[in-house]
Amino acid sequence: ALAAPAMSRAQAWPTRPISWIVPFAAGGPTDALARDIADHTGRQLGQTILIDNAAGAGGTIGSTKAARAAPDGYTFLVGHMGYMGAAPALYKKLAYDPVKDFEPVLRMPDTPLVLLVSTRSPYGSAAELIAYAKQNPGKLNFGNAGVGSTSHLVAALFASRAGIRITQVAYKGAGPAMNDLIAGQVDAMFDQTNTALPQVGARLKAIGLTSEKEMSQFPGVPTLGATVLPGFETSTWFGLYAPRGTPKEIVSKMSDAYLKALEDKAWTQKMAAQGIRLLPTADASATALGQHTASEVERWKKVAAEAHISLD
Ligand code: MLT
């Protein structure tokens, strides 16, 4: 009898640990979300998913590394609105194209952001912070995770809409930026709810939300849209991407493992408790992520131009 056809590499996948590139330092919201999702997804695959923190330049260094990785199913990129949406509008010589150089795999949940100041700071509200900034242009330092990170983009949009000038201070991730906020080296920052929540209280004060509605996780904290900047709503979207050319069978196995992991309601409730916004399953598909990425790249060209956001 004919020997059974050798199993294709894609059919046998995964036969060894997988790497997910997180293009920020450990300890920030992208790193935290990625580790949690990698842990649950890896269990479904029966394989370890390792996080490779490749930081720098607002996430574009790690994204370039992912775009150039072998399309063999062992390297993926945890992407987000900054370096997979806004970056083409900000970086003239971007070494990758978020649409052409990647296979979308799955869309992860969104995270709204929180405007944070130290508990020692004199500002009790976003209105007070804006009033100070109007009298002292350029004096307020905002920490961010590099040009094109959402902490950078949201702070730039906030300043543009409020008509104030701020000074942006770049770090290798929101984790290191948060450390300097707590230490009083910078005055404020926008961080995502999952990593902001544990810090609010003793050391940090949340003075505004970028969500549409107030959040039970941040009692008494108003939304910026309802107080100082009507219509100012945003959250960071995330997605998993593979280098262009990764076999479709591997892409769908990874996506199926994630969707299976989401059936664990204890886990999804834990994410929701961190202010993370789970998406309807249809919006989490590879096709949906691909369409979302393309529309975001176009949208940010307009937003960046209107708000004069550039490589400052
Ligand atoms: C950002 O865009 O600010 C990043 O999410 C920061 C991070 O995750 O470290």
Side-chain angles (χ1 to χ4, degrees):
L2 281 175
M7 214 185 216
S8 79
R9 237 194 281 269
Q11 282 167 325
W13 180 91
T15 56
R16 59 185 163 84
I18 297 159
S19 169
W20 283 12
I21 292 173
V22 167
F24 295 109
T30 307
D31 183 63
L33 184 67
R35 287 177 193 277
D36 196 20
I37 294 177
D39 173 35
H40 287 264
T41 305
R43 272 188 251 159
Q44 294 297 329
L45 286 171
Q47 199 46 263
T48 307
I49 298 177
L50 301 166
I51 299 296
D52 171 11
N53 295 93
T60 57
I61 302 267
S63 304
T64 302
K65 177 178 177 180
R68 294 176 177 161
D72 58 7
Y74 290 98
T75 303
F76 292 79
L77 170 70
V78 176
H80 84 27
M81 175 171 77
Y83 46 99
M84 291 300 275
L90 301 174
Y91 288 86
K92 294 299 157 256
K93 289 190 287 299
L94 199 59
Y96 63 91
D97 180 312
V99 176
K100 295 198 190 79
D101 296 331
F102 292 93
E103 306 288 353
V105 178
L106 56 96
R107 184 168 165 187
M108 297 172 169
D110 294 353
T111 51
L113 294 106
V114 196
L115 176 52
L116 297 167
V117 295
S118 159
T119 40
R120 294 192 300 275
S121 132
Y123 320 110
S125 69
E128 285 175 16
L129 180 137
I130 290 171
Y132 173 84
K134 285 202 161 133
Q135 300 304 321
N136 304 274
K139 278 295 285 298
L140 281 180
N141 291 333
F142 275 65
N144 68 49
V147 172
S149 64
T150 46
S151 39
H152 165 255
L153 293 170
V154 175
L157 289 174
F158 173 80
S160 164
R161 286 286 311 278
I164 59 174
R165 235 165 30 74
I166 60 174
T167 297
Q168 296 247 34
V169 183
Y171 293 81
K172 292 251 184 252
M178 170 91 70
N179 293 340
D180 263 13
L181 177 64
I182 290 166
Q185 300 304 315
V186 290
D187 304 301
M189 77 180 278
F190 280 93
D191 193 28
Q192 290 158 58
T193 55
N194 56 327
T195 35
L197 189 55
Q199 302 293 348
V200 169
R203 301 188 284 192
L204 296 180
K205 219 172 9 185
I207 59 172
L209 293 168
T210 69
S211 47
E212 202 178 328
K213 291 192 178 57
E214 295 191 1
M215 298 175 73
S216 57
Q217 293 87 346
F218 298 92
V221 183
T223 65
L224 293 172
T227 49
V228 288
L229 300 177
F232 191 82
E233 281 131 30
T234 186
S235 58
T236 304
W237 56 265
F238 290 88
L240 190 72
Y241 297 83
R244 175 65 73 202
T246 301
K248 290 267 174 276
E249 187 168 353
I250 292 177
V251 167
S252 51
K253 270 190 196 172
M254 179 67 87
S255 176
D256 292 348
Y258 171 64
L259 293 176
K260 190 96 188 73
L262 285 178
E263 290 171 14
D264 172 356
K265 292 304 158 213
W267 176 41
T268 55
Q269 273 152 21
K270 195 169 73 67
M271 285 200 278
Q274 297 170 26
I276 292 170
R277 297 288 171 75
L278 288 132
L279 302 170
T281 306
D283 294 352
S285 71
T287 310
L289 178 63
Q291 289 162 353
H292 187 68
T293 306
S295 67
E296 280 288 279
V297 167
E298 287 318 304
R299 181 174 76 89
W300 276 100
K301 284 179 184 145
K302 287 195 275 297
V303 170
E306 278 158 17
H308 310 295
I309 304 177
S310 61
L311 271 168
D312 54 19

